[in-house]
């Protein structure tokens, strides 16, 4: 088993459970970007608009909840996945100035998640529950 670079605070039972609020920023930007692009390249415009609409649906239905021991993923109120912090090896938010993608690696898999949630709460929960080794 691979050791985790995170400190032992990942099993702190005093941490509050936090559900991230949705953020429609990325889906809205994609849909708005598709409008003027339609005058230049209709196929690309449609692809971007459809992706923006897909992310809008995901933003509406998916919730991330940080519990004291795991990141839980809910769709329409039903839990669909759980990622215990003890299995995390790394996480990263790309690009800090314009956050669009959240990446985390577990012992057996990697995950990429678009930032369709409140960025500042996401970052603070990650730093609190899975602080990086210095």
């Amino acid at each position: 088993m691979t050791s985790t670079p995170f400190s032992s605070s990942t099993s702190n039972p005093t941490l509050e459970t936090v559900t991230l609020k949705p953020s429609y920023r990325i889906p809205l930007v994609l849909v708005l970007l598709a409008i003027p692009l339609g005058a230049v390249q209709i196929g690309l415009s449609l692809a971007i608009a459809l992706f923006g609409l897909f992310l809008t649906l995901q933003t509406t239905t998916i919730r991330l909840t940080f519990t004291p021991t795991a990141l839980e993923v809910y769709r329409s109120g039903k839990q669909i996945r759980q990622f215990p912090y003890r299995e995390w090896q790394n996480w990263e938010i790309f690009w800090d100035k314009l956050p669009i993608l959240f990446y985390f690696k577990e012992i057996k898999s990697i995950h990429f998640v678009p930032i369709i949630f409140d960025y500042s709460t996401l970052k603070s929960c990650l730093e609190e529950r899975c602080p990086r080794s210095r």
Side-chain angles (χ1 to χ4, degrees):
M1 183 189 271
T2 308
S3 64
T4 179
F6 301 120
S7 71
S8 61
S9 68
T10 58
S11 61
N12 184 348
T14 62
L15 292 173
E16 289 185 33
T17 296
V18 177
T19 299
L20 300 181
K21 294 180 181 172
S23 171
Y24 291 89
R25 186 178 344 176
I26 292 175
L28 182 62
V29 166
L30 289 173
V31 170
L32 291 176
L33 177 69
I35 294 170
L37 188 59
V40 178
Q41 178 60 268
I42 192 73
L44 182 59
S45 173
L46 282 173
I48 290 173
L50 287 173
F51 185 59
L53 293 173
F54 169 75
L55 286 181
T56 300
L57 177 65
Q58 295 292 79
T59 305
T60 303
T61 60
I62 301 291
R63 292 292 171 267
L64 295 184
T65 298
F66 285 88
T67 70
T69 59
L71 171 63
E72 297 177 350
V73 181
Y74 293 85
R75 182 182 310 138
S76 300
K78 180 181 177 192
Q79 184 180 0
I80 58 173
R81 293 289 306 261
Q82 184 178 39
F83 302 100
Y85 306 130
R86 70 179 180 278
E87 295 180 6
W88 289 37
Q89 294 181 320
N90 190 22
W91 64 266
E92 189 71 42
I93 295 176
F94 302 105
W95 292 266
D96 206 33
K97 301 276 189 244
L98 180 65
I100 61 168
L101 193 61
F102 162 49
Y103 152 86
F104 67 99
K105 181 180 180 191
E106 295 182 288
I107 294 169
K108 296 180 181 177
S109 61
I110 62 172
H111 307 277
F112 292 92
V113 181
I115 306 280
I116 54 175
F117 311 99
D118 177 53
Y119 166 70
S120 59
T121 307
L122 170 66
K123 188 172 181 178
S124 66
C125 285
L126 288 168
E127 290 172 344
E128 181 180 51
R129 287 157 171 80
C130 299
R132 298 171 196 229
S133 300
R134 302 247 185 245

